[in-house]
């Protein structure tokens, strides 16, 4: 019979880039949340102590996933850069920036900031796994809400939304700030981590 440690590890692996919450782990294994957390810590410690292991456990708001150790970031980034969509349009960069600074956010709210319809670009960004539907807003029509994916964070070289540069206090997100938002990704563009359509 599989150990609880093996069950937790397999669920972490199967959850991929999206990760799995502590609550989901508890439900799937019929273990208390505290017991799940202890087993996750045990796996993380085993990864850390094994110098031949390239894995680590990443945690964001009690959502856990298997990632790679920081020392391997350059190697992994090179591989991911080859595998991921290489070209993003100015409109796509603008939309992603707006979502990251405002998530969860609906298409209509994005449209209000950008001043244009964002349906097509949102569809493309979701298909590229840069954005995801995170839920629905509790209002008439129950519009979908969007957020950045873990893959999207990795794409822009961020570990979490906390790594986003702060907007100046007097800078409001409206249709006049798209250029200001885009400058936050100039470093990645300059370093060749991503390309922008002309």
């Amino acid at each position: 019979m599989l150990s609880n440690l093996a069950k937790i590890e397999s669920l972490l692996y199967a959850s991929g880039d999206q990760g799995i919450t502590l609550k989901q782990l508890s439900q799937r294994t019929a273990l208390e949340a505290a017991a799940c957390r202890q087993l996750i810590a045990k796996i993380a410690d085993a990864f850390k102590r094994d110098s031949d292991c390239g894995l680590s456990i990443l945690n964001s708001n009690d959502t856990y996933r298997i990632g790679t150790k920081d020392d391997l970031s350059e190697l992994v980034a090179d591989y991911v850069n080859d595998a991921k969509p290489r070209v993003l349009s100015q409109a796509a960069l603008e939309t992603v920036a707006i979502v990251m600074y405002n998530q969860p956010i609906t298409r209509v709210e994005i449209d209000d900031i950008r001043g244009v319809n964002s349906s097509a670009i949102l569809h493309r960004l979701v298909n590229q796994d840069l954005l995801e539907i995170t839920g629905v807003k509790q209002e008439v029509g129950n519009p979908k809400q969007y957020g950045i994916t873990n893959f999207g964070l990795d794409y822009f070289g961020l570990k979490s939304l906390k790594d986003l540069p702060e907007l100046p206090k007097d800078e409001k997100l409206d249709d006049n700030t798209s250029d200001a938002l885009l400058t936050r990704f100039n470093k990645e563009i300059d370093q060749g981590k991503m390309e922008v359509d002309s």
Side-chain angles (χ1 to χ4, degrees):
M1 181 178 242
L2 287 175
S3 69
N4 288 328
L5 188 74
K7 291 177 184 177
I8 294 289
E9 193 171 38
S10 65
L11 288 170
L12 286 168
Y13 173 79
S15 70
D17 285 340
Q18 299 304 313
I20 186 168
T21 66
L22 191 64
K23 182 178 179 181
Q24 289 171 321
L25 284 168
S26 178
Q27 290 171 340
R28 295 284 179 177
T29 60
L31 295 170
E32 294 292 327
C36 289
R37 191 176 272 117
Q38 286 178 343
L39 290 170
I40 292 168
K42 190 172 182 180
I43 295 167
D45 186 57
F47 285 166
K48 188 175 183 180
R49 283 186 289 107
D50 186 350
S51 61
D52 290 326
C53 176
L55 303 177
S56 65
I57 299 294
L58 305 177
N59 174 21
S60 176
N61 297 324
D62 274 344
T63 297
Y64 296 88
R65 64 187 177 100
I66 294 177
T68 54
K69 289 181 177 174
D70 289 341
D71 293 348
L72 298 169
S73 59
E74 188 174 338
L75 174 71
V76 173
D78 286 344
Y79 169 75
V80 171
N81 283 337
D82 287 340
K84 73 188 178 186
R86 289 287 299 164
V87 179
L88 287 181
S89 66
Q90 196 88 347
L93 286 172
E94 177 183 289
T95 302
V96 170
I98 290 168
V99 170
M100 284 198 287
Y101 278 97
N102 293 278
Q103 72 177 57
I105 185 171
T106 66
R107 180 191 58 78
V108 171
E109 292 166 333
I110 295 168
D111 292 351
D112 286 345
I113 294 170
R114 295 188 63 227
V116 295
N117 187 297
S118 304
S119 295
I121 199 71
L122 282 170
H123 181 72
R124 178 180 171 200
L125 291 167
V126 168
N127 283 341
Q128 290 177 326
D129 197 31
L130 293 170
L131 298 182
E132 64 183 343
I133 298 167
T134 59
V136 295
K137 192 168 186 178
Q138 299 303 311
E139 61 179 35
V140 177
N142 293 324
K144 296 173 184 175
Q145 293 178 308
Y146 294 87
I148 191 79
T149 62
N150 287 325
F151 176 75
L153 288 172
D154 289 342
Y155 185 94
F156 291 102
L158 303 171
K159 289 187 177 179
S160 75
L161 290 174
K162 293 177 182 177
D163 294 332
L164 277 172
E166 286 188 25
L167 288 171
K169 292 179 182 177
D170 58 345
E171 185 176 304
K172 295 180 181 178
L173 287 170
D174 57 30
D175 58 357
N176 296 319
T177 62
S178 61
D179 288 339
L181 291 172
L182 293 177
T183 59
R184 281 142 177 80
F185 304 117
N186 280 345
K187 183 178 179 184
E188 282 76 16
I189 294 168
D190 292 340
Q191 292 176 346
K193 293 182 181 177
M194 69 178 93
E195 299 171 2
V196 181
D197 284 338
S198 56

